[in-house]
Amino acid sequence: MTTALAEHAMEWMKSMQAGSREERVDLLFAYLNTHGQSSYDPSVTQLEHALQTAHLAQQESQQPHLVVASLLHDIGHLMIDEHDERGDFLDQDCAHEAVAARALSVFFPRQVVAPVQHHVSAKRLLCSLDETYYAKLSDASKRSFAVQGGELSRSETVRLLALEGMNDAMALRRWDDRAKVHGVEVPDLDAYRQVVLDHLHGSDGLGARAHQDAVPGCQQESEQKQTGLNQHDASGGRTVAPITDQDAQQT
């Protein structure tokens, strides 16, 4: 089974290429507003979850790059239409964090992208380090924990702990797992406009780069997991192919 980007994700990525930095923020927020109304956990929509995660990061870290990462960490779910209304929801791991990291790397610096890319590995790491952490997960997160590979071996745990940026990913993960509260009032997207704008690459920094029409699918990712380090490689997550000028010719 190959998981391709949803058509709306491809259109959004293309539109982001042409806009000014201010227009890209508008396009990003419009995308989150439109496609974030679905749910991954039944208690909140995906947009509500993103806003709650960003709010916790804003309150507890005062690190702007983590606020942006927290706001955008699950955008990969939206880009592949992964939500609880699908009949095959959580049957397989479609590596939403790799989808998000590859897309966001076109527009944001590594310090924003890395926690997004690593936040699934961070969940597995936290559950492996603290046997009580798993009990705090939502039902959907417990289900995804199983298809994402479950508890880590000792050697995998040691390797991930040594990675640069894993502390940021673990912080994001803790906010992520607390940000599923029904009915809580938090600031809306406009509250994050300036911090997102501050972290966007300038248009001259994008060059001709663009996202491919398809991303590694469920089956391909599952096969990669059988090869050891590809599951938890030097990046601390699933392998994310670099975006090249050749990609631009495919959009």
Side-chain angles (χ1 to χ4, degrees), residues 39-55:
S39 295
Y40 188 90
D41 289 273
S43 56
V44 289
T45 66
Q46 300 209 57
L47 176 59
E48 288 170 339
H49 173 60
L51 292 172
Q52 288 184 29
T53 309
H55 183 57

Side-chain angles (χ1 to χ4, degrees), residues 183-235:
V184 66
E185 293 188 11
V186 295
D188 63 15
L189 279 171
D190 279 340
Y192 303 102
R193 180 172 296 275
Q194 189 60 51
V195 70
V196 171
L197 183 63
D198 289 345
H199 285 80
L200 272 170
H201 292 314
S203 57
D204 57 344
L206 285 178
R209 295 179 303 173
H211 200 282
Q212 284 182 315
D213 285 0
V215 295
C218 297
Q219 185 61 37
Q220 182 177 347
E221 291 294 342
S222 178
E223 290 169 356
Q224 286 179 348
K225 288 185 177 184
Q226 306 307 315
T227 63
L229 284 179
N230 277 348
Q231 183 178 2
H232 308 292
D233 62 9
S235 70

Side-chain angles (χ1 to χ4, degrees), residues 87-130:
D88 60 353
F89 178 59
L90 292 181
D91 285 350
Q92 299 183 73
D93 174 25
C94 293
H96 74 281
E97 79 284 12
V99 175
R102 187 159 188 237
L104 295 175
S105 68
V106 179
F107 305 106
F108 291 94
R110 180 67 182 163
Q111 63 176 346
V112 170
V113 175
V116 175
Q117 183 180 350
H118 302 341
H119 78 277
V120 169
S121 294
K123 176 174 73 173
R124 298 182 65 196
L125 185 55
L126 287 165
C127 288
S128 300
L129 291 171
D130 180 0

